[in-house]
Amino acid sequence: MNGLCEGRVVVVTGAGRGLGRAHALAFAAEGARVVVNDLGVGLDGTPDPDSPAGRVADEIRAAGGEAVAHAGDIATDTGAASLVATALRTYGRLDTLVNNAGFLRDRMLVNLDEDDWDAVVRVHLKGHFLPLKHAAAHWRAETRAGRTPAARIVNTSSGAGLLGSVGQGNYSAAKAGIVALTLVAATELGRYGVHVNAIAPAARTRMTERAFADTMAAPATGFDAMAPQNVSPLVVWLGSAASTGVTGRVFETEGGRITVMEGWRPGPTADRPSRWTPTEAGEATRKLLSQARTPHPVYGG
């Protein structure tokens, strides 16, 4: 029996470990041919002598699937272009892009160096934009040639990007940017047969060891709610042709829970045909705030 992604070619960035590895294995289990990307760096983005992409590709092939490793830096134009080229050269097509790569350099804002800001924004936000750009250019060319694809992009945001997270100003800003990028891309690329969605996952990985320190040990029996494999089924479905009509959405997912996240919407409003004085604006704003929903607290606040 064919899997949900039989015949599809899927690229997963940051797929050497954690969530990316779980996604790559899950796509392969559903019949996809997978390009496993991982630069092979440490948790903070510094060089790591390990080469996890090759190991995951080997794991997929050992289970009877098809996979190829890619170790390029997807936060560079050359690396992102070579990622898409690897899929096309190896398998002759590209159907799904899962943007997942990232690392952390957590600091309180007053201690956050410019380099730590730039590095995290670069890998998360630029590392989403460049693969998306090159994949979209390919799908646009396919559409113009009369071959409109059933293409899918799944981006990776975070609860930190939706609500903020103390000590993670750089990470929160980058992940919030990914949500906005997802909404723009979904609107711009729909004409080319591309659906674009984002997830905000919570799972036990290298990046979340401190956040989930009290849940690091999997239970001896029962359901391990923090296993990264729990997130992958939604990613696989969003990356398949079965998700037709679902685009421009953000989903929070953890364990057995899937939540459709609803972003900024107009709330209470005051309007008048003349300019406010500062005092009047303040009085009107306080009245509006008394009618508005209380925002969710920032993580760690």
Side-chain angles (χ1 to χ4, degrees):
M1 183 171 64
N2 291 341
L4 188 65
C5 294
E6 194 73 32
R8 293 180 72 82
V9 173
V10 178
V11 167
V12 184
T13 70
R17 303 180 178 91
L19 283 167
R21 172 181 173 273
H23 300 340
L25 294 175
F27 272 108
E30 290 293 335
R33 293 166 287 176
V34 185
V35 179
V36 182
N37 164 266
D38 203 289
L39 187 57
V41 297
L43 180 59
D44 63 352
T46 55
D48 188 329
D50 205 359
S51 179
R55 290 202 315 271
V56 174
D58 288 343
E59 191 173 355
I60 290 172
R61 288 191 291 266
E66 296 184 55
V68 61
H70 178 272
D73 182 356
I74 47 81
T76 67
D77 192 69
T78 300
S82 74
L83 177 65
V84 172
T86 296
L88 298 178
R89 181 178 62 251
T90 307
Y91 299 120
R93 61 184 294 143
L94 173 61
D95 300 284
T96 299
L97 168 64
V98 179
N99 284 314
N100 169 77
F103 56 73
L104 297 175
R105 292 189 184 178
D106 293 352
R107 303 281 191 281
M108 301 299 278
L109 287 171
V110 294
N111 298 321
L112 186 62
D113 294 335
E114 184 178 2
D115 288 347
D116 293 330
W117 175 275
D118 288 346
V120 168
V121 171
R122 174 186 181 274
V123 70
H124 287 279
L125 190 51
K126 191 176 180 183
H128 271 61
F129 160 63
L130 287 174
L132 184 155
K133 172 188 174 181
H134 285 281
H138 165 68
W139 290 322
R140 181 181 62 180
E142 288 290 284
T143 298
R144 289 177 174 177
R147 299 184 296 270
T148 302
R152 304 289 184 264
I153 297 174
V154 183
N155 291 330
T156 306
S157 183
S158 167
L162 303 176
L163 300 177
S165 179
V166 171
Q168 293 187 310
N170 49 1
Y171 178 73
S172 297
K175 289 302 192 182
I178 288 168
V179 171
L181 177 64
T182 298
L183 302 181
V184 172
T187 301
E188 290 188 2
L189 303 180
R191 72 191 72 178
Y192 307 126
V194 185
H195 289 14
V196 189
N197 295 285
I199 60 165
R204 184 175 58 251
T205 69
R206 289 194 306 167
M207 285 178 54
T208 59
E209 286 179 350
R210 283 177 289 180
F212 301 135
D214 59 342
T215 60
M216 285 304 297
T221 60
F223 178 49
D224 180 3
M226 298 312 298
Q229 291 83 355
N230 299 330
V231 174
S232 299
L234 175 61
V235 175
V236 170
W237 184 80
L238 289 172
S240 75
S243 62
T244 296
V246 180
T247 191
R249 294 288 193 163
V250 180
F251 301 89
E252 201 168 57
T253 175
E254 171 188 341
R257 178 174 59 84
I258 297 171
T259 303
V260 178
M261 302 303 289
E262 298 181 338
W264 294 107
R265 296 174 180 269
T269 303
D271 189 12
R272 73 183 199 180
S274 61
R275 182 181 302 137
W276 304 89
T277 68
T279 298
E280 290 170 338
E283 291 172 349
T285 298
R286 287 193 179 278
K287 183 177 180 180
L288 293 175
L289 288 172
S290 71
Q291 301 166 0
R293 295 180 181 181
T294 301
H296 287 279
V298 171
Y299 287 109

